[in-house]
């Protein structure tokens, strides 16, 4: 029988009443589900509702301001605020907040009540609901404790939030009242970006501008704006709250820092796409209900590869909205999990020995007509455009593979990248054999006429159908073409997608700009436009051929091959972040207007500091686990085993028991040794001078030391009596309470 531990009780507190709001009883008493369309977006107020509710001229002013990137006049803002307030108050909202994404990687909100005091004649105070245009469009949170990477000295520590009207306003319907959230950008006194949204919006603008210039050049004269689209697939773990609460490492860091592998992990491959356990399903249904009301178009849910691991995928949207929605999704997941007695782990590597979690960022670009430019299409012109845009994206990844790698660097993702479960730290692009062959023939000059017949011969038109079936299969690639979009798979599960996506947008924008210049040159020399485009495609194909890789990204040969090709191999966050210091990266980010020099430098500092702080918390948590949980259990076991040895009679048993004791003593010694070295190292960190130096010491000295400490602790878990073991084990966390 298993020892009875406090965490064995399931905290499942899920009650059917949580979901009955979505059920209606028909006249014969049978229950049926309310169609999603009836409550989808009911907690949001976006451009659609504004068009409906605002006076025509006010709505027109808003759209004009949006299109031209101009400020709203105070009358317009006032009129909008009034309509929003009416809608919100009628929904039972009492407070509003500017909702923004500072560089902590989380979101921030500061709530203010919708009230204003009025003095009546008899100097009595009356409270009225009030929300002004000024409150809608701008805020000034006390921002001195948000990271700025040294950009704001204390005397200008002010930060400002400004409404981003392109993303819908929404209501958080919490357990204790409702709050109106206004999506905002966050910036400093001199306009410097202090958040993740501002660079994303800037990158969208540059991308749209450069792509339109290129499209005009290839004959798409009516192109006005280009939109980047994103569908982020979110992976996560669900574990019982009792298990989480009994593990100081999970409480402190969101991941386990110790834990021997359970005899069963994911080797039976029985979890992936398996039937969803009832408890997880109840969580998902509840989560989806919340998300639908917030206008988040969640579409897919399934089990992932590891036990207790799951995935959620939305329908793709404009990247800015998709990024807000993903942040909102992560927050809602945590909130809803709590209600179900569960904890949702979004960390990239909550458990050793089984898969970690990623966030595959499906990305594409489309024109005003909604045509996906990465969709080969049906006409020869669309096919040629497809080839051109494809080679432009390939060129972008080829040029800025290192910055893309830096954009996904985080302590959590360091555990994934390069492990045989997730893409490697080397960025390459997988196209699928069909498209790969097409680019190979183009490179060899087998299709340089760009005639209709030749394009058809290349087989571009068949790609959507064929790649739907085949291209998705290379799960080892960090950046894979999957039929009509790219899938950036190396992004970590806890990432704010704005960071990698703004870099990707910027890289593609730069590549469009370069392609436009080259195409203009070619057009100046040749008469036939299609031939000029084909020649551009061919020259790009030659240049970016080294970024293409169709093989197994996990193999050792690939690492050698990538080294030969000169691709950047940046295994750790510490190495990847240094990219932000090189001239090529700086020039690229500055000329695409995504970040200024000062902003790049500040982001570097913030990332380094976050790395150091995260790692310091992890290392201190591990040392605590070792010294106050594991060592005492081991001491008791040694004592008990010693007593047993004293009463043993047979020589064979005595010898074996002595050996067992010796090995436990050796483990105790090793733990004490590594533990004290780790503490000495941690205590010496602050004397290292700058943060970059600290990062180096953590990455190259302390982390390997911690790995040794953990390994001994894991071995000890296998020899100490289960009754004495003070922490929930992997087999309990991953296989109990969640699996029914
Ligand atoms: P697959 O099975 O090939 O991965 P899915 O249709 O399941 O494709 O899509 C996976 C994710 O990719 C979803 O979130 C989906 O919305 C997103 N996606 C599909 N098309 C696009 C696109 N044009 N741009 C961005 N994301 C897309
Ligand atoms: Mg997936």
């Amino acid at each position: 029988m298993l020892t009875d531990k406090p965490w064995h009780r399931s905290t499942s507190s899920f009650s059917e009443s949580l979901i009955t709001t979505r059920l209606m009883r028909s006249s014969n008493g049978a229950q049926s589900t309310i169609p999603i369309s009836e409550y989808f977006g009911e907690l949001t107020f976006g451009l659609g509702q504004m068009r409906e509710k605002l006076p025509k001229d006010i709505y027109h002013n808003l759209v004009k301001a949006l299109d031209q990137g101009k400020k709203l006049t105070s009358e317009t803002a006032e009129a909008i605020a009034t309509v929003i307030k009416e809608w919100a108050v009628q929904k039972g909202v009492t407070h509003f907040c500017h909702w923004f994404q500072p560089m902590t990687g989380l979101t921030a909100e500061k709530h203010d009540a919708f009230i204003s005091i009025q003095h009546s004649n008899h100097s009595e105070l009356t409270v009225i609901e009030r929300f002004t245009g000024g409150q809608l469009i701008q805020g000034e949170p006390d921002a001195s404790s948000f990271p700025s990477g040294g950009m704001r000295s204390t005397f200008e520590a002010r930060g400002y939030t400004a409404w981003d009207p392109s993303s819908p306003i929404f209501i958080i319907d919490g357990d204790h009242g409702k709050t109106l959230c206004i999506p905002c950008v966050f910036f400093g006194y001199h306009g410097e970006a202090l958040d993740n949204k501002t660079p994303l919006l800037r990158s969208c603008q540059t991308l749209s501008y450069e792509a339109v210039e290129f499209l005009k050049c290839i004959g798409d004269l009516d192109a006005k704006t280009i939109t980047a689209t994103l569908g982020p697939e979110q992976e996560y773990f669900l574990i019982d709250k009792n298990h989480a609460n009994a593990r100081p490492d999970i409480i402190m860091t969101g991941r386990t820092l110790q834990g021997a592998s359970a005899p069963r992990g994911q080797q039976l491959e029985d979890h992936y796409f398996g039937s969803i356990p009832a408890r997880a399903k109840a969580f998902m249904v509840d989560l989806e209900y919340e998300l639908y009301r917030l206008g988040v178009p969640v579409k897919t849910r399934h089990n992932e590869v590891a036990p207790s691991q799951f995935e959620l995928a939305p329908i793709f949207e404009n990247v800015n909205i998709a990024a807000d929605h993903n942040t909102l999704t992560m927050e809602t997941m945590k909130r809803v999990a709590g209600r179900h007695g569960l904890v949702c782990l979004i960390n990239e590597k909550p458990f050793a020995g089984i898969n970690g979690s990623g966030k595959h960022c499906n990305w594409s670009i489309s024109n005003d007509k909604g045509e996906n430019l990465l969709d080969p299409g049906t006409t020869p012109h669309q096919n040629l455009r497809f080839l051109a845009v494809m080679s432009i994206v390939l060129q972008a990844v080829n040029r800025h593979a290192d910055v893309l790698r830096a954009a996904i660097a985080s302590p959590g993702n360091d555990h994934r990248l390069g492990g045989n479960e997730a893409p490697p730290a080397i960025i390459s692009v997988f196209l699928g054999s069909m498209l790969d062959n097409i680019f190979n023939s183009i490179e060899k000059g087998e299709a340089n006429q760009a005639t209709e017949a030749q394009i058809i011969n290349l087989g571009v038109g068949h790609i959507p159908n064929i790649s739907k079936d085949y291209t998705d299969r290379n799960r080892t690639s960090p950046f894979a073409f999957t039929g009509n979009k790219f899938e950036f798979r190396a992004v970590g599960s806890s990432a704010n997608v704005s960071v990698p996506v703004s870099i990707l947008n910027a890289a593609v924008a730069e590549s469009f700009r370069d392609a436009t210049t080259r195409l203009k040159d070619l057009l100046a020399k040749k008469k036939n436009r299609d031939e000029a485009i084909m020649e551009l495609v061919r020259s790009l194909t030659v240049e970016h051929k080294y970024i293409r890789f169709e093989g197994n990204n996990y193999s050792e040969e690939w690492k050698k091959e990538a080294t030969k090709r000169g691709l950047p191999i940046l295994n750790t966050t510490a190495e990847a972040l240094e990219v932000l210091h090189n001239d090529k990266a700086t020039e690229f980010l500055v000329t695409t207007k995504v970040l200024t020099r000062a902003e790049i430098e500040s982001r570097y500092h913030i990332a380094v500091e976050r790395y150091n702080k995260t790692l310091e918390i992890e290392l201190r948590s591990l040392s605590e686990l070792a010294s106050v949980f594991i060592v005492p259990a081991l001491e008791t076991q040694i004592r008990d085993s010693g007593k047993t040895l004293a009463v043993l009679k047979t020589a064979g048993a005595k010898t074996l028991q002595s050996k067992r004791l010796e090995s436990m003593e050796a483990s105790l010694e090793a733990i004490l040794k590594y533990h004290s070295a780790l503490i000495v190292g941690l205590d010496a960190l602050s004397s290292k001078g700058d943060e970059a130096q600290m990062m180096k010491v953590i990455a190259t000295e302390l982390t390997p030391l911690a790995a040794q400490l953990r390994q001994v602790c894991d071995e000890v878990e296998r020899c100490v009596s289960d009754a004495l073991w003070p922490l929930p084990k992997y087999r309990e966390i991953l296989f109990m309470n969640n699996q029914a």
Side-chain angles (χ1 to χ4, degrees):
M1 203 186 96
L2 282 178
T3 332
D4 188 31
K5 299 275 178 72
W7 54 79
H8 285 174
R9 250 188 36 239
S10 165
T11 48
S12 180
S13 59
F14 177 73
S15 83
E16 282 299 319
S17 69
L18 281 172
I19 52 170
T20 46
T21 41
R22 274 144 288 157
L23 297 175
M24 50 188 182
R25 251 173 231 288
S26 54
S27 50
N28 62 11
Q31 282 195 336
S32 62
T33 311
I34 299 176
I36 295 167
S37 58
E38 284 190 19
Y39 53 88
F40 187 83
E42 68 180 12
L43 295 180
T44 64
F45 201 85
L47 284 176
Q49 285 100 318
M50 297 208 199
R51 191 177 43 225
E52 231 173 77
K53 302 231 163 81
L54 288 174
K56 259 210 174 76
D57 55 325
I58 299 286
Y59 179 72
H60 180 74
N61 289 348
L62 171 66
V63 172
K64 214 167 89 191
L66 265 178
D67 282 350
Q68 302 174 350
K70 294 228 174 82
K71 254 186 121 167
L72 288 176
T73 62
S74 57
E75 299 86 70
T76 308
E78 214 60 56
I80 299 174
T82 306
V83 169
I84 292 175
K85 188 203 71 191
E86 272 163 21
W87 170 77
V89 169
Q90 180 226 331
K91 293 255 180 202
V93 173
T94 53
H95 286 66
F96 71 93
C97 76
H98 278 194
W99 185 81
F100 57 103
Q101 300 167 31
M103 291 180 284
T104 50
L106 308 167
T107 56
E109 41 190 81
K110 173 181 165 235
H111 298 194
D112 280 307
F114 269 144
I115 56 166
S116 167
I117 305 280
Q118 280 194 335
H119 294 268
S120 64
N121 292 341
H122 314 290
S123 65
E124 270 173 36
L125 297 186
T126 339
V127 168
I128 57 156
E129 259 76 34
R130 190 157 175 229
F131 180 51
T132 65
Q135 288 171 317
L136 166 68
I137 57 175
Q138 184 147 327
E140 191 187 330
D142 173 17
S144 50
S145 40
F146 291 112
S148 80
M151 265 196 314
R152 284 169 306 151
S153 45
T154 30
F155 60 90
E156 16 174 89
R158 264 180 281 183
Y160 300 88
T161 50
W163 177 34
D164 164 21
S166 62
S167 183
I169 286 175
F170 57 92
I171 295 172
I172 289 290
D173 188 357
D175 298 331
H176 308 286
K178 296 179 183 174
T179 307
L180 182 77
C181 297
I182 304 162
C184 282
V185 290
F186 180 44
F187 53 92
Y189 187 72
H190 300 292
E192 60 277 27
L194 298 174
D195 67 349
N196 289 316
K197 191 195 254 279
T198 306
L200 179 66
L201 291 173
R202 292 175 183 162
S203 76
C204 290
Q205 257 181 12
T206 312
L207 174 61
S208 178
Y209 176 83
E210 298 297 352
V212 165
E213 290 298 296
F214 179 78
L215 290 177
K216 282 189 198 148
C217 225
I218 66 165
D220 285 11
L221 299 175
D222 52 353
K224 284 194 194 63
T225 48
I226 290 299
T227 310
T229 51
L230 181 74
E233 300 169 46
Q234 179 72 50
E235 293 180 343
Y236 61 95
F237 280 84
L238 279 182
I239 65 170
D240 192 273
K241 204 186 247 174
N242 275 340
H243 289 144
N245 285 344
R247 300 249 356 177
D249 47 358
I250 294 183
I251 296 175
M252 288 294 119
T253 70
R255 56 188 295 258
T256 61
L257 302 171
Q258 182 282 330
S261 295
R264 188 173 131 196
Q266 61 196 41
Q267 66 272 55
L268 295 176
E269 293 166 349
D270 50 352
H271 195 251
Y272 191 54
F273 280 22
S275 69
I276 301 174
R279 198 172 173 199
K281 174 90 176 294
F283 158 82
M284 291 174 185
V285 170
D286 209 22
L287 170 69
E288 285 163 10
Y289 173 63
E290 298 263 325
L291 291 175
Y292 287 142
R293 296 177 77 206
L294 288 165
V296 182
V298 221
K299 170 94 170 147
T300 313
R301 51 161 114 114
H302 63 78
N303 289 0
E304 256 304 324
V305 173
S308 292
Q309 190 188 27
F310 306 93
E311 181 183 294
L312 164 155
I315 295 173
F316 67 93
E317 301 175 276
N318 163 318
V319 287
N320 178 35
I321 296 174
D324 280 357
H325 280 169
N326 180 253
T327 329
L328 203 48
T329 299
M330 291 193 284
E331 284 172 3
T332 313
M333 284 164 91
K334 290 187 184 156
R335 191 155 44 87
V336 173
R339 229 189 275 157
H340 288 252
L342 295 163
V343 169
C344 178
L345 302 177
I346 304 185
N347 188 286
E348 281 76 10
K349 194 68 185 175
F351 303 97
I354 54 173
N355 277 13
S357 301
K359 177 147 51 198
H360 298 175
C361 283
N362 294 273
W363 175 97
S364 188
I365 41 179
S366 56
N367 63 14
D368 318 85
K369 292 182 218 147
E371 288 168 352
N372 178 352
L373 300 184
L374 290 176
D375 206 333
T378 43
T379 66
H381 174 74
Q382 283 170 340
N383 286 336
L384 192 56
R385 181 178 74 190
F386 165 77
L387 286 176
V389 175
M390 277 300 281
S391 34
I392 285 167
V393 176
L394 282 161
Q395 179 73 307
V397 179
N398 182 45
R399 280 213 191 128
H400 299 297
D402 55 351
V403 193
L404 286 166
R405 166 66 185 94
I408 52 166
S410 71
N413 222 13
D414 276 2
H415 299 287
R416 267 180 88 233
L417 303 180
N420 280 356
E421 51 163 288
I426 310 162
I427 302 287
S428 68
V429 185
F430 172 82
L431 290 180
S433 58
M434 173 143 197
L435 199 51
D436 192 53
N437 288 337
I438 292 174
F439 277 110
N440 287 340
S441 346
I442 293 174
E443 190 194 335
K444 286 189 212 126
E446 285 167 14
N448 50 6
Q449 298 301 308
T451 60
E452 203 165 314
Q454 278 216 351
I455 300 265
I456 289 169
N457 265 348
L458 281 172
V460 185
H462 301 300
I463 291 166
N465 307 331
I466 295 188
S467 49
K468 265 266 163 271
D469 297 334
Y470 296 105
T471 56
D472 198 20
R473 299 300 156 239
N474 191 336
R475 301 194 143 265
T476 70
S477 176
F479 203 92
F481 183 69
T482 48
N484 55 6
K485 61 189 188 292
F486 278 98
E487 194 169 334
F488 193 3
R489 297 170 181 227
V491 182
S493 50
S494 72
N496 181 316
V497 292
S498 305
V499 181
V501 172
S502 49
I503 301 299
L504 179 57
N505 283 350
V508 175
E510 187 201 67
S511 191
F512 266 117
R513 186 172 62 207
D514 174 60
T516 306
T517 314
R518 287 158 73 163
L519 189 57
K520 281 184 178 160
D521 279 355
L522 287 166
L523 287 171
K525 287 182 208 140
K526 299 200 178 197
K527 280 193 222 115
N528 184 315
R529 179 159 54 204
D530 285 0
E531 270 175 38
I533 299 172
M534 206 59 189
E535 189 164 334
L536 170 73
V537 171
R538 203 176 84 80
S539 67
L540 286 171
T541 305
V542 174
E543 287 166 36
H544 59 52
K545 81 182 202 191
Y546 288 132
I547 200 72
R548 282 161 46 201
F549 180 62
E550 298 292 300
N552 178 6
N553 285 259
Y554 296 168
S555 69
E556 278 308 310
E557 295 86 74
W558 171 231
K559 282 185 199 137
K560 284 185 209 137
E561 165 76 12
T563 314
K564 247 199 284 172
R565 292 186 184 189
L567 296 178
I569 303 181
L570 304 161
N571 287 318
T572 62
T573 295
E575 292 162 83
L577 290 180
E578 287 310 315
V579 171
L580 297 178
H581 273 153
N582 77 37
D583 292 343
K584 183 171 147 243
T586 309
E587 155 106 10
F588 150 58
L589 294 171
V590 171
T591 56
T592 50
K593 301 196 182 78
V594 171
L595 292 170
T596 64
R597 271 169 207 279
E599 287 166 350
I600 298 170
E601 193 54 24
S602 85
R603 263 147 230 263
Y604 167 82
H605 285 297
I606 290 169
V608 172
E609 204 181 281
R610 288 197 68 73
Y611 177 91
N612 291 346
K613 285 182 179 159
T614 308
L615 263 296
E616 198 175 336
I617 294 170
E618 287 195 359
L619 298 176
R620 289 206 186 268
S621 300
L622 172 66
S623 73
E624 187 197 1
L625 274 190
S627 68
V628 308
F629 285 83
I630 294 168
V631 165
L634 180 57
E635 285 169 340
T636 311
Q637 183 66 59
I638 290 175
R639 229 167 16 238
D640 289 357
S641 301
K643 281 186 202 149
T644 309
L645 179 63
V647 300
L648 286 178
K649 298 275 185 305
T650 62
K654 277 187 185 174
T655 316
L656 290 172
Q657 182 71 344
S658 299
K659 274 201 186 139
R660 192 174 153 224
L661 259 169
E662 267 170 40
S663 120
M664 285 194 284
E665 267 188 56
S667 298
L668 180 63
E669 190 183 333
I671 293 182
L672 295 175
K673 186 179 79 186
Y674 293 136
H675 175 262
S676 68
L678 189 58
I679 293 291
V680 170
L682 282 166
D683 289 345
L685 268 184
S686 49
S687 65
K688 290 290 174 256
D690 66 347
E691 295 272 347
Q693 201 55 35
M694 271 166 77
M695 175 162 76
K696 217 168 266 160
V697 174
I698 293 175
T700 58
E701 293 170 28
L702 301 190
T703 310
L705 193 58
Q708 287 174 302
L709 175 58
R710 179 202 169 123
Q711 200 193 339
V712 193
C713 292
D714 289 357
E715 283 158 18
V716 167
E717 184 186 317
R718 293 206 174 86
C719 61
V720 167
S721 156
D722 191 57
L724 293 174
W725 196 252
L727 300 161
K729 297 181 176 181
Y730 277 14
R731 72 167 145 73
E732 295 166 320
I733 304 174
L734 294 168
F735 292 95
M736 272 177 94
N737 299 346
N738 310 325
Q739 300 292 308

